């Protein structure tokens, strides 16, 4: 260490000592950096450390869970239903890596950026990486990087947020999102936007687990309201955040006026408050277009006119009973530029009973999205030709999963595809069991046998019953000699003799494969 | 900061200053910890930092790639075929988080542990996390943590290795593994082990992309050979590593004797060399069991006897033509305890031609695995009752993907499920297109229309042809008045009139959905 280094460290430390505050950021970094480069010497009497044989704690990383076979069976059913709707709308699928260059994720998520997981940067690496926080920004990066002009894609994958986990409410640090997005220029206004909402209703319908309400709004209308009510430009985002909290915190909470909370003038807060508590449909659009304050605002009128077109599609598709144009919907993310929407499950009677009993209500937002016309452009550094307008919707499936799981009886969940179980009441039959299995496997018939050398027939039969396996193949010395097996229906317990050479054919008929 | 803290920091820093070495590890940690808790004050004249507007570089993290729609279509076909085989064998599926507590992954991967990605540990977090390196260790953790006694599961998911990427050869830092494992005690010896190899042949057969060879060996036989040849215990692993390199580096490379490379005596290296270049089947097992040197070794005889049982299953399942018992197979991972195997694609004639032309040969290992009876036990801290013996196989799909992709003609890859495209030659027909689409979507018929307000009919028809969409629905003012549409076969170009009310029924018949 040089004399200058020593001098500098000494100075810094003298300043730390009085109150622990007299050091600035650069100085702290300098000192920390210096300390990193020091190879510590062993303490006196300290022996080189032996790897301590401490007991390993077996657990998941905080906020994450394993999915066992029963959970996976339900989850796959859920994904299959969601995928079927995406495919019905002609979507392709893509995949992107779990981590992105950190720069790509910067300035996209407002306050929540602090929840992003970073990857440790080993010595010699020049890349800063972060785990993806959502699927939208990686999608925009994919579109921009590959110079794609138009695409309709879905993506089902895990995202990562170092949020305070709330496991019983399904808030995890690793969770799936199912995203559907439409990117392209010169599209008929609001048609792709309306299709995203239509997809949400089709998915909720196909799951048949709860009722839902869809709230619609438009960032341009909100901005227009703020502007028309005299909110200064630099407070738009703060005002937006207050609107976003409306379901938890009333606009005029006693002794906690919104004007105090975010620095708006009382008059302005008051005006905004009158607007953002309105909801309705086409008649509200008309009312607002006729409003003397709003109608003078270009952003608001543009948003309102397109909202009307948007609602026309939803009317044509018969889903207006599930939808409301709701001025209190704001959405937290930075990148939305037009229409925004949120799908909220409404509590069933059972949910309300559970809530009264003190257990969690299975309601809340299950999907949300909107139009983000500037995101691709911002990644390529301009809004010119290389920009691609986008609109999309993202399903957070954890809540849907909980509802679907509740609907299923545990016993009805099958975790395997097994249709046939091969068994014998006699000893030393494993090679014969293996030979029969081979015929079934080669024919693509899902089949198993016990891995035990000499399993008990009764145990095998009970296992078939508890696992809902429909067919058993039973044999012993005599059947081998005769070249047959007994094909047993596990449900009816009927047995029929089938020759070995006919077995695959007979089973294929019974299973209709 | 307390007076005692101040005193201690002062003492430590005084000791740093003379030579930068007079501080031990605990003291360094203490000081670093203290510095972390200091909130720096701004420097004089320092302004809040403005985000510099530098141009964003759009690229993937090193060693990772995006999967576009065509890649995903092939990849999903690949996964579906692999899953179908796993399910035919009665396997369940599970999922585990992408990161594990770092301790769980420690001491599992030999030298390659340095390739593990770690997650940055933010202030205040007490968890060290690492991205999973394979699916085997997370599986063992899942079994141990949930006290599972027996399970047969598959898991298809991405794993992470900070290896030197080699993109054209399919070596990435993020890649999929498809794992199948059987865990349970008192199973018939070698039956689950042989099933894993059987599964490999079924998967390779179902993909129909190349020929394969399967190499088999057993860690106990290798260890027995080392021991019987006089290799000291502490050189087993080094000798094993040399065996593992046999396909790249001959045992007796000139001027680079194995004895020099890993410290074996010449005599011992010579003896081992004679064994590990042998391969064969049952006759080799017999030869080795009769070998005066090996037959005295308990580990080797145990391994050889079980190898014979193993081969009997493969004989019964008619796959001996693809298999060889190959003493040169070693496998690098620490956790194997018994039989090991590796599936290698053998080059086709086309591959050999490509190789002569200087392009990459699509051959090499596509799957590997073996028995790891101690891994679950090691996680629970003992080999007693809580241990669960396991055997499994892991497919690295990147190479299979490359082969499957090569087989497909680009034009035959369909990236969407779209069966019907709705179009009109006239203007202002979007709402009518939307209404027809709605009927098709509600019926689950995958359908699309152009997002353009007034697309050209010819462009739409060409798009159907290039995208292999089989049916078009064409209409104009006249058809609307008559309450019909024209249903057009894109291939034959035949058109038939269908009434709007019959449309869904007619299409369902044509598509057989």
């Amino acid at each position: 260490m040089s004399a200058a280094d020593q001098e500098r460290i000494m100075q810094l430390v003298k300043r730390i000592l009085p109150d622990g505050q007299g050091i600035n950021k650069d100085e702290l970094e300098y000192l920390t950096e210096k300390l990193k480069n020091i190879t510590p010497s062993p303490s006196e009497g300290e022996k080189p450390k032996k790897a301590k044989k401490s007991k390993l704690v077996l657990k998941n990383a905080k906020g994450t869970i394993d999915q066992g076979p029963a959970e996976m069976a339900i989850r796959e059913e859920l994904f299959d239903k969601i995928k079927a709707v995406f495919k019905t709308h002609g979507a392709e699928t893509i995949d992107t890596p779990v981590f992105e260059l950190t720069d790509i994720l910067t300035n996209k998520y407002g306050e929540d950026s602090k929840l992003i997981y970073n990857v440790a940067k080993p010595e010699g690496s020049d890349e800063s990486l972060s785990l993806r926080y959502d699927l939208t920004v990686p999608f925009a990066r994919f579109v921009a990087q590959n110079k794609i002009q138009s695409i309709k894609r879905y993506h089902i994958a895990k995202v990562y947020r170092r949020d305070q986990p709330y496991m019983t409410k399904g808030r995890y640090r690793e969770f799936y999102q199912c995203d559907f997005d439409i990117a392209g220029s010169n599209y008929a206004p609001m048609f792709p936007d309306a299709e995203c909402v239509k997809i949400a209703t089709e998915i909720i319908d196909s799951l048949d687990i709860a009722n839902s309400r869809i709230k619609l709004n438009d960032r341009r209308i909100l901005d227009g309201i703020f502007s028309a009510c005299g909110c200064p430009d630099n407070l738009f985002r703060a005002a937006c955040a207050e609107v976003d909290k409306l379901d938890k915190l009333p606009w005029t909470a006693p002794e906690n006026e919104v004007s105090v909370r975010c620095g708006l003038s009382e008059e302005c807060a008051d005006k905004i408050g009158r607007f953002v508590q309105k909801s309705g449909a086409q008649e509200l659009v008309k009312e607002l277009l006729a409003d003397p304050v709003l109608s003078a605002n270009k952003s608001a009128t543009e948003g309102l006119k397109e909202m009307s077109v948007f609602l026309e599609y939803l009317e044509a598709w018969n889903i207006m009973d599930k939808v409301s144009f709701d001025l209190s919907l704001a959405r937290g993310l930075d990148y939305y530029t037009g229409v925004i929407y949120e799908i909220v499950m409404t509590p069933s009677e059972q949910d309300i009973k559970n809530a009264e009993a003190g257990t969690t209500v299975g309601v809340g937002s299950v999907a949300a999205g909107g139009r983000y016309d500037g995101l691709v452009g911002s990644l390529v550094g301009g809004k010119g030709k290389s920009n691609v307008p986008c609109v999309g919707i993202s399903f957070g499936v954890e809540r849907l999963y909980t509802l679907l799981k509740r609907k299923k009886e545990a016993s009805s969940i099958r975790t395997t595809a097994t249709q046939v179980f091969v068994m014998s009441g006699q000893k030393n039959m494993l090679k014969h069991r293996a030979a029969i299995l081979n015929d079934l496997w080669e024919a693509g018939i899902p089949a198993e046998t016990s891995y035990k050398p000499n399993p008990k027939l009764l145990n095998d039969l009970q296992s078939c019953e508890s696992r809902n396996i429909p067919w058993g193949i039973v044999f012993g010395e005599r059947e081998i000699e005769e070249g047959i097996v007994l094909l047993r229906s596990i449900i009816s317990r009927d047995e029929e003799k089938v020759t070995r050479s006919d077995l695959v054919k007979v089973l294929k008929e019974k299973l209709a494969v």
Side-chain angles (χ1 to χ4, degrees), chain A:
Chain A
M1 191 179 286
S2 75
D5 278 342
Q6 292 181 24
E7 181 56 30
R8 182 136 170 79
I9 291 185
M10 200 61 196
Q11 281 178 2
L12 294 179
V13 172
K14 274 188 186 151
R15 286 178 47 197
I16 305 177
L17 294 180
D19 60 5
Q21 298 292 328
I23 182 169
N24 71 35
K25 192 152 172 275
D26 290 349
E27 291 166 342
L28 182 62
E29 271 173 17
Y30 174 85
L31 185 53
T32 309
E33 207 48 49
K34 282 292 156 205
L35 289 170
K36 262 195 217 158
N37 295 325
I38 296 173
T39 313
S41 55
S43 304
E44 283 168 61
E46 193 184 341
K47 283 180 198 166
K49 247 191 198 168
K50 267 193 193 171
K52 252 193 238 168
K53 192 101 188 187
S54 66
K55 198 165 156 61
L56 203 57
V57 180
L58 294 180
K59 59 176 186 181
N60 293 78
K62 190 176 177 189
T64 68
I65 50 166
D66 294 321
Q67 304 286 334
E71 287 83 17
M72 283 302 284
I74 299 173
R75 200 163 277 268
E76 292 197 331
E77 181 183 332
L78 181 62
F79 287 155
D80 285 347
K81 286 188 169 170
I82 292 174
K83 270 191 229 173
V85 173
F86 290 160
K87 286 184 178 178
T88 300
H89 286 256
E92 306 177 300
T93 188
I94 69 162
D95 193 25
T96 60
V98 79
F99 40 62
E100 294 280 339
L101 296 176
T102 301
D103 284 350
I104 305 281
L105 306 189
T106 306
N107 294 326
K108 304 295 186 298
Y109 305 109
E111 272 189 21
D112 287 344
S113 294
K114 63 179 186 294
L115 306 179
I116 293 174
Y117 276 92
N118 295 314
V119 176
K121 200 169 164 177
E123 247 176 79
S125 165
D126 54 355
E127 279 190 335
S128 292
L129 305 178
S130 301
L131 300 190
R132 61 184 165 214
Y133 179 87
D134 67 8
L135 302 176
T136 309
V137 172
F139 170 62
R141 197 263 310 145
F142 174 83
V143 169
Q145 182 174 324
N146 295 292
K147 300 187 171 56
I148 290 166
Q149 290 304 308
S150 70
I151 186 170
K152 177 164 54 179
R153 81 89 181 79
Y154 69 90
H155 190 189
I156 298 184
K158 289 172 175 177
V159 300
Y160 298 87
R161 300 182 183 181
R162 205 191 286 273
D163 213 340
Q164 192 53 38
Y166 198 156
M167 312 298 270
T168 52
K169 280 207 169 176
R171 188 163 79 207
Y172 304 112
R173 291 183 162 189
E174 176 190 59
F175 58 96
Y176 273 101
Q177 287 196 332
C178 302
D179 277 30
F180 175 96
D181 293 82
I182 301 171
S185 301
N186 303 320
Y187 283 179
M190 311 311 274
F191 183 62
D193 316 56
E195 187 175 354
C196 291
V197 170
K198 169 77 172 139
I199 278 174
T201 63
E202 288 179 19
I203 287 175
I204 303 287
D205 286 352
S206 82
L207 293 174
D208 189 26
I209 42 181
N211 297 319
S212 64
R213 296 284 312 158
I214 302 176
K215 294 182 193 173
L216 311 172
N217 199 1
D218 192 301
R219 273 280 170 92
R220 292 168 297 180
I221 302 177
L222 270 183
D223 285 354
I225 290 174
F226 298 154
S227 171
C229 295
C231 171
D233 284 9
N234 62 351
L235 288 182
F236 273 27
R237 218 131 280 269
C240 202
E242 290 303 325
V243 174
D244 201 33
K245 289 181 210 150
L246 264 180
D247 52 344
K248 291 165 204 123
L249 190 63
W251 196 253
T252 50
E255 297 170 43
N256 190 13
E257 285 289 332
V258 70
S259 56
V260 180
R261 295 202 300 266
C262 73
L264 291 174
S265 75
E266 262 186 58
E267 192 198 340
C268 166
D270 204 45
K271 281 189 191 167
I272 294 176
R274 275 200 297 264
F275 279 112
V276 296
Q277 295 181 50
K278 287 176 192 284
S279 70
Q282 291 286 20
E283 85 294 345
L284 179 58
V285 176
K286 280 203 194 98
E287 177 193 325
L288 296 173
L289 276 172
D291 184 283
V293 182
L294 265 195
S295 59
N297 183 284
K298 202 182 149 222
S299 166
T301 12
E302 198 180 294
L304 285 165
K305 281 183 184 160
E306 293 209 344
M307 178 57 69
S308 178
V309 176
F310 190 72
L311 293 173
E312 279 173 28
Y313 286 115
L314 304 186
E315 282 155 11
W317 289 337
N318 301 316
I319 50 176
M320 277 310 291
D321 57 327
K322 290 168 182 153
V323 167
S324 72
F325 168 35
D326 190 326
L327 288 173
S328 73
L329 179 70
R331 307 280 308 133
L333 297 170
D334 289 350
Y335 47 64
Y336 291 122
T337 55
V339 67
I340 47 178
Y341 29 78
E342 186 172 71
I343 290 81
V344 180
M345 304 305 280
T346 48
S348 65
E349 279 180 32
Q350 185 57 46
D351 288 324
I352 294 165
K353 268 188 213 158
N354 289 345
E356 283 164 1
T359 57
T360 318
V361 184
V363 297
S365 167
V366 292
R371 179 161 281 283
Y372 50 103
D373 280 351
L375 187 55
V376 172
S378 78
L379 290 172
V380 292
K383 288 197 164 191
K385 259 192 160 176
S386 46
N387 187 35
V388 184
C390 302
V391 65
I393 187 161
S394 173
F395 283 81
V397 293
E398 304 309 329
R399 197 169 261 134
L400 293 175
Y401 167 81
T402 308
L403 292 171
L404 191 60
K405 190 175 179 182
R406 195 187 290 171
K407 195 177 133 189
K408 304 236 167 220
E409 287 181 48
S411 65
S412 74
I413 302 167
R414 284 211 61 184
T415 60
T416 69
T418 307
Q419 299 296 325
V420 186
F421 202 88
V422 181
M423 46 201 149
S424 173
Q426 296 168 1
K427 290 202 169 179
N428 302 319
M429 287 294 172
L430 185 52
K431 281 191 192 150
H432 294 285
R433 287 190 275 138
I436 295 173
L437 270 184
N438 194 43
D439 291 350
L440 304 180
W441 288 341
E442 298 280 322
I445 298 170
E448 290 184 83
T449 191
S450 169
Y451 287 117
K452 297 222 160 67
N454 296 304
K456 291 207 168 67
L457 183 60
L458 197 63
N459 290 351
D460 279 357
L461 286 168
Q462 276 168 352
S463 156
C464 288
E465 281 185 22
S466 68
R467 292 180 57 202
N468 293 318
I469 297 172
W471 297 99
I473 290 175
V474 187
F475 69 93
E477 297 277 3
R478 193 198 301 172
E479 285 76 20
I480 294 172
E481 273 166 35
E482 290 179 27
I484 61 160
V485 295
L486 302 177
L487 182 59
R488 180 182 172 109
S489 160
I490 300 298
I491 298 163
S492 71
R493 302 188 180 186
D494 291 338
E495 287 187 346
E496 61 178 297
K497 289 183 183 178
V498 179
T499 63
R500 279 285 272 112
S501 52
D502 283 343
L503 182 58
V504 163
K505 199 184 65 163
V506 171
L507 271 172
K508 279 195 161 188
E509 276 165 20
K510 294 204 186 278
L511 298 169
V513 286

